[in-house]
Amino acid sequence: MQIVTTNDIPGYVVEEVFGEVFGLTVRSRNIGSNIGAGLKSLVGGELKGITKMLHDSRQEALARLGEEAIAKGANAVLAFRFQTNEYEGMGAEICAYGSAVRVRPA
């Protein structure tokens, strides 16, 4: 499965477009991360617990995007993007999205 941010893949031809696909996850922060983030905000610096949560969440959303594309018969996703939103002050919603397509070498 090729997943790219571009609208095409050099050396490949799009044979079929299956439409938009999504991978979504919503994650809450644990109490330790919230306390650590509150203390860290006093002195500044990276919020490592939250950074890890967002990294893991993006990986999960990306995997779900790939699964949905495969289920539609695609072998690639074009115009891939992430969107991240805060979820009611308790966590984060991460959405991976793009266009599912079948490509072949040119």
Side-chain angles (χ1 to χ4, degrees), residues 30-101:
N30 67 44
I31 190 72
S33 287
N34 284 340
I35 292 170
L39 295 173
K40 192 69 159 185
S41 69
L42 297 174
V43 295
E46 181 181 7
L47 305 174
K48 292 183 181 180
I50 294 173
T51 299
K52 180 177 179 355
M53 180 199 70
L54 288 173
H55 177 269
D56 294 348
S57 298
R58 283 183 172 219
Q59 294 303 314
E60 184 174 358
L62 185 58
R64 289 178 178 175
L65 169 83
E67 291 168 4
E68 185 173 324
I70 289 169
K72 288 187 172 191
N75 65 357
V77 175
L78 302 179
F80 160 71
R81 302 287 186 269
F82 275 120
Q83 182 173 343
T84 304
N85 296 304
E86 186 176 3
Y87 182 72
E88 297 190 14
M90 299 183 311
E93 170 194 28
I94 293 85
C95 181
Y97 63 95
S99 296
V101 298

Side-chain angles (χ1 to χ4, degrees), residues 20-38:
E20 271 191 341
V21 286
F22 298 91
L24 180 68
T25 187
V26 178
R27 296 272 184 104
S28 65
R29 297 183 295 249
N30 67 44
I31 190 72
S33 287
N34 284 340
I35 292 170

